[in-house]
Amino acid sequence: MEEYLASRIKIERPIYEQDQIRKKYQYEEDPEKCSKFNCNENLNLKKGIVKLIPSIGWLAHYRWKTDFLSDLTSGFTVAVMHIPQGMAYALLGNVPPVVGIYMAFFPVLTYFFLGTSRHNSMGTFAVVCLMTGKSVLEYSNPSYFVKNLEVNMTDDPLKQKIIYDYSPIQVATTVTFVVSIFQLAMFFLRLGAVSALLSETLVSGFTTGAAVHVLVSQIKDLLGLRIPKYKGYFVVVQTVKSIFEEIGNFNMAAIIISSVTIIISSLNNELIKPLVAKKSSFPVPIELIAVIIGTLASKYGSLPDTYNITTVGDIPSGLPYPEVPQFSLITSVVVDGFTIAVVSYTITLSMALIFAQKLDYEVDANQELLAMGSGNMVGSFFSCMPFTASLSRSLIQQTVGGKTQIASVVSCCILVVVLLWIGPFFEPLPKSVLASVIVVALKGMLMQVTALPSFWKLSKMDALVWLVTFLTVVIVGIDIGLAVGILMSLLSLLVLNFKPYTCLLGHIPKTDLYLDCGKYRAAEQISGIKIFQYSGGINFATKCIFKEELARKVEINPQKEIIYRAKLAKYAQIKEESILKPKVAKIERIQNKITTDVRCIILDFSCLSYIDPSGVSMLKGVVESFKKLDIPIYVAAPSDKVYEMMSKCNLLDEKKALLRTFPTIHDAVQWASDIFNTNLNSNISIVSRI
């Protein structure tokens, strides 16, 4: 049927040049657009408020009878996960465990009103907590860590004499405040697209490297070792070195607790959870069970006194009093704050987009910046670290049946009860249990290393970005690794920009199709016409590449060709009888170098994304040099932006008649074939020329 239809399709229209198309079909260079201040939507105060506070809109249409039960179940499940994860990840931030539960309450309530994702479970996340913990360790007074272990300061001689007089909570809340400032600034500047700087490859390599940091930081608690906390760079290297030096002083009780917790949690995740999921959407809260059993065993078995087990320690009851962040510390943590702001936003937005695509609803990237910035601002006054979305909790929230962020409100209500009355119950909890919970939760991020072979198959450059980012994060540090990863991503874009795809197009007989001659056997080059396709952009950096690729593909170097023709003309003036045999041979060699079969070159600009004034200047020079060889150049299918740039730079000046442009390749070919009497085998007839 397709072949039958194709044989009957016939297109009859005039040959158009680009300017004729624009005039005939009334192209407007700057069409009037509705100003954001004149649009009815923005003049409507009600819609403006709903846009600023999305919860007002969807709460008005919330189906309480059908959706609330699902959100209630989901909220309870997520709250159960928040308790062990919050306490465990807070330790990564070098702050008291209760901070992790604070983070699941204050900023999450703010996100409920302002966020646009219905399924993101906001709160603690291992990578963000670890990045915050770096600043906490750097700028806190070491005396706060003496009860666990003194901070090792010998890795940075320049900072040995600097003793900061800040508590871990003060440093963490100041970092949170700085993060909120950056995210709110990005919102007002409409920079939601900044997350595009962090590609999927970069994020994968970065989070995998950060997961290695987390894993190494938990080995001491898993084995019951007492080693110093290192700060600065090469933390993983120094920590691993200390672990090997102290490996003989392991605590067998801690190892047993860790092993049992990890084995049971892993068996639950790999075997029990899939079986339970078939019968019930409510998962087995294995982390909470481990925390409760660990707490009871430690308390009634006197594990700290008998086996010297390190426990969580003091957990205050009640909600924290509001406290202003330490503004004097802002300049010190501004770099870390910016890094955390971008990373946490990227992770949150990525998860939000995944759920939005899966469940068919929209997420506003800039509104997410407002929600996160506002949540962090509130959290900075209530002893919170920067919050972000958790993949594991978000998946559970959606899988259990959560419909909206009402599930987060339910979770917050349950956690208030924990903060007011239940918190001190977990004081005897061994740290090895929390370390085990963290390690089991890291599996997903650590398994991202298996994605490297697939990245390598798809793109060597992407694989290199992943590998360099991962190794830099692991060996040097998280912040340096992120910076190097971004630079590598930008460098890869630059390298790819310097390797544009170019080819010669051939004609498919009896059609108006023009395809790559090197890849389509049926594509036939038209006698006397070279059709050159360039994919990419032409700017000051790539203009020479375009020029070289054009000369290579059409096999004509205008400068050399002009020289050859000048020499041939010079020898032609010499009388034939006076020419010696060596001269005759030289003339023949020159004639062989001169291209005689190319009568016209068509530049296919359908894949040209951009051209700047430098590129237009180069193109003008190319056109003029080929014109000296009596080889005209036509441009086919330029975008409006490319056409306008060429027009502004006087390349399309009708008086100079340097260049002709056509809306399609076929128009250009038909024009050239009419002029040069080139025979084309096509079933598309052109009825007349304008």
Side-chain angles (χ1 to χ4, degrees), residues 51-71:
K51 186 175 181 180
L52 188 65
I53 309 176
S55 59
I56 296 176
W58 61 262
L59 277 174
H61 305 286
Y62 185 73
R63 298 175 297 183
W64 291 94
K65 292 183 179 180
T66 56
D67 292 347
F68 181 70
L69 183 60
S70 297
D71 283 335

Side-chain angles (χ1 to χ4, degrees), residues 98 102 313-321 415-425 427:
V98 72
Y102 294 159
D314 181 55
I315 297 180
S317 59
L319 299 175
Y321 290 101
L415 292 173
V416 166
V417 176
V418 175
L419 290 170
L420 292 177
W421 295 289
I422 304 177
F425 167 79
E427 290 180 355

Side-chain angles (χ1 to χ4, degrees), residues 25-77:
Y25 297 105
Q26 302 174 0
Y27 173 79
E28 295 182 9
E29 185 172 345
D30 294 309
E32 247 182 77
K33 294 182 180 179
C34 178
S35 170
K36 64 179 180 179
F37 297 105
N38 296 327
C39 290
N40 292 332
E41 182 179 350
N42 290 311
L43 288 175
N44 190 318
L45 181 61
K46 182 179 178 181
K47 289 185 177 180
I49 294 174
V50 170
K51 186 175 181 180
L52 188 65
I53 309 176
S55 59
I56 296 176
W58 61 262
L59 277 174
H61 305 286
Y62 185 73
R63 298 175 297 183
W64 291 94
K65 292 183 179 180
T66 56
D67 292 347
F68 181 70
L69 183 60
S70 297
D71 283 335
L72 181 66
T73 305
S74 177
F76 177 79
T77 307

Side-chain angles (χ1 to χ4, degrees), residues 599-614:
R599 307 183 68 184
C600 172
I601 295 175
I602 297 174
L603 304 179
D604 175 20
F605 277 2
S606 60
C607 298
L608 182 66
S609 57
Y610 172 77
I611 188 169
D612 69 356
S614 298

Side-chain angles (χ1 to χ4, degrees), residues 252-328:
M252 183 55 70
I255 292 177
I256 293 173
I257 293 172
S258 303
S259 301
V260 171
T261 306
I262 291 174
I263 291 172
I264 293 177
S265 298
S266 299
L267 289 175
N268 173 77
N269 292 340
E270 301 299 326
L271 300 177
I272 300 175
K273 185 180 288 186
L275 294 175
V276 173
K278 294 179 180 179
K279 299 182 179 180
S280 172
S281 59
F282 190 85
V284 178
I286 192 65
E287 293 90 353
L288 184 61
I289 293 173
V291 166
I292 293 174
I293 293 176
T295 302
L296 294 174
S298 176
K299 181 177 181 179
Y300 295 106
S302 302
L303 298 184
D305 298 329
T306 307
Y307 300 102
N308 199 23
I309 292 292
T310 305
T311 61
V312 167
D314 181 55
I315 297 180
S317 59
L319 299 175
Y321 290 101
E323 185 178 346
V324 177
Q326 300 297 310
F327 297 120
S328 59

Side-chain angles (χ1 to χ4, degrees), residues 73-376:
T73 305
S74 177
F76 177 79
T77 307
V78 171
V80 167
M81 293 184 67
H82 265 302
I83 297 171
Q85 285 192 1
M87 295 172 66
Y89 292 159
L91 295 180
L92 291 176
N94 294 308
V95 293
V98 72
V99 170
I101 302 179
Y102 294 159
M103 291 171 62
F105 179 73
F106 294 103
V108 171
L109 275 182
T110 307
Y111 185 86
F112 163 77
F113 290 104
L114 301 176
T116 57
S117 174
R118 302 175 191 173
H119 299 91
N120 270 357
S121 176
M122 307 300 290
T124 54
F125 186 69
V127 174
V128 174
C129 290
L130 184 70
M131 295 173 72
T132 307
K134 171 184 171 293
S135 296
V136 171
L137 200 61
E138 186 76 27
Y139 300 106
S140 299
N141 192 312
S143 62
Y144 286 95
F145 301 98
V146 168
K147 61 181 180 181
N148 294 322
L149 260 183
E150 294 184 357
V151 178
N152 187 301
M153 301 185 67
T154 59
D155 61 310
D156 194 346
L158 295 177
K159 295 184 178 180
Q160 284 186 12
K161 297 181 180 180
I162 302 177
I163 302 297
Y164 297 95
D165 194 23
Y166 300 108
S167 69
I169 289 291
Q170 288 175 327
V171 177
T173 54
T174 305
V175 171
T176 306
F177 181 78
V178 172
V179 169
S180 72
I181 294 297
F182 277 118
Q183 290 177 336
L184 290 174
M186 289 163 64
F187 164 73
F188 287 113
L189 295 174
R190 314 298 291 175
L191 296 179
V194 73
S195 63
L197 289 174
L198 304 184
S199 64
E200 179 186 353
T201 310
L202 190 154
V203 171
S204 176
F206 173 76
T207 52
T208 308
V212 173
H213 269 267
V214 176
L215 177 64
V216 171
S217 70
Q218 298 307 299
I219 292 178
K220 61 183 180 61
D221 289 327
L222 293 175
L223 303 180
L225 300 177
R226 296 182 179 273
I227 59 176
K229 291 184 177 181
Y230 293 96
K231 60 182 180 179
Y233 300 123
F234 306 101
V235 170
V236 170
V237 176
Q238 296 179 79
T239 304
V240 171
K241 180 182 176 183
S242 296
I243 289 172
F244 279 107
E245 290 174 350
E246 295 292 326
I247 194 68
N249 299 322
F250 63 86
N251 187 313
M252 183 55 70
I255 292 177
I256 293 173
I257 293 172
S258 303
S259 301
V260 171
T261 306
I262 291 174
I263 291 172
I264 293 177
S265 298
S266 299
L267 289 175
N268 173 77
N269 292 340
E270 301 299 326
L271 300 177
I272 300 175
K273 185 180 288 186
L275 294 175
V276 173
K278 294 179 180 179
K279 299 182 179 180
S280 172
S281 59
F282 190 85
V284 178
I286 192 65
E287 293 90 353
L288 184 61
I289 293 173
V291 166
I292 293 174
I293 293 176
T295 302
L296 294 174
S298 176
K299 181 177 181 179
Y300 295 106
S302 302
L303 298 184
D305 298 329
T306 307
Y307 300 102
N308 199 23
I309 292 292
T310 305
T311 61
V312 167
D314 181 55
I315 297 180
S317 59
L319 299 175
Y321 290 101
E323 185 178 346
V324 177
Q326 300 297 310
F327 297 120
S328 59
L329 189 59
I330 287 178
T331 55
S332 300
V333 300
V334 67
V335 175
D336 291 337
F338 175 74
T339 306
I340 295 170
V342 174
V343 171
S344 61
Y345 170 66
T346 302
I347 292 171
T348 300
L349 183 62
S350 299
M351 295 182 189
L353 292 174
I354 290 172
F355 289 115
Q357 183 177 7
K358 179 180 179 181
L359 301 170
D360 194 24
Y361 65 89
E362 293 184 0
V363 169
D364 188 330
N366 278 296
Q367 183 66 24
E368 288 296 300
L369 279 171
L370 175 63
M372 293 190 67
S374 302
N376 281 318

Side-chain angles (χ1 to χ4, degrees), residues 4-18:
Y4 172 74
L5 290 175
S7 65
R8 294 179 60 83
I9 291 175
K10 186 176 182 181
I11 300 173
E12 294 187 358
R13 65 167 176 79
I15 297 175
Y16 286 113
E17 289 191 64
Q18 190 73 25

